[in-house]
Amino acid sequence: HPGCAPANWAAPTDSTNEYIGGREDVAPVDGIAPGGLCSALVLIGAYDRHTGCPVLGVINEPFFRRDPLTRRWQGRYHWGVAYGDTRLSSLSP
């Protein structure tokens, strides 16, 4: 819709990208993962510029599950749209 624009976002500059690489061979120390985390979420949203109301959102979870055979990470995502009378989502109510 022409009245909507993507939400503002910025890439982290605090080494978060390196921290989420996650080394599983490094054991946590007092509940802190010194080798990084195998977890991250990416949120993308859009809103109506006239009302400020959100109209679209997507959440990506790239490290949802590790395949036991290949040891590769499998991701998942969820999405939702709320615009006018349209209400759709990838999740059940």
Side-chain angles (χ1 to χ4, degrees):
H1 185 273
C4 297
N8 291 330
W9 65 277
T13 58
D14 59 0
S15 298
T16 304
N17 188 47
E18 289 76 12
Y19 190 69
I20 65 170
R23 292 188 48 201
E24 294 180 4
D25 59 331
V26 178
V29 177
D30 295 326
I32 298 174
L37 301 173
C38 294
S39 177
L41 290 176
V42 178
L43 169 62
I44 299 172
Y47 63 93
D48 185 311
R49 288 176 44 168
H50 299 289
T51 66
C53 293
V55 295
L56 171 97
V58 178
I59 296 174
N60 181 29
E61 188 177 3
F63 304 113
F64 171 63
R65 178 181 324 158
R66 181 168 275 206
D67 185 298
L69 298 176
T70 65
R71 304 290 296 154
R72 294 184 64 167
W73 285 103
Q74 298 172 337
R76 71 176 178 177
Y77 63 91
H78 305 289
W79 57 268
V81 175
Y83 188 73
D85 293 333
T86 301
R87 301 284 187 270
L88 300 171
S89 172
S90 63
L91 300 173
S92 298

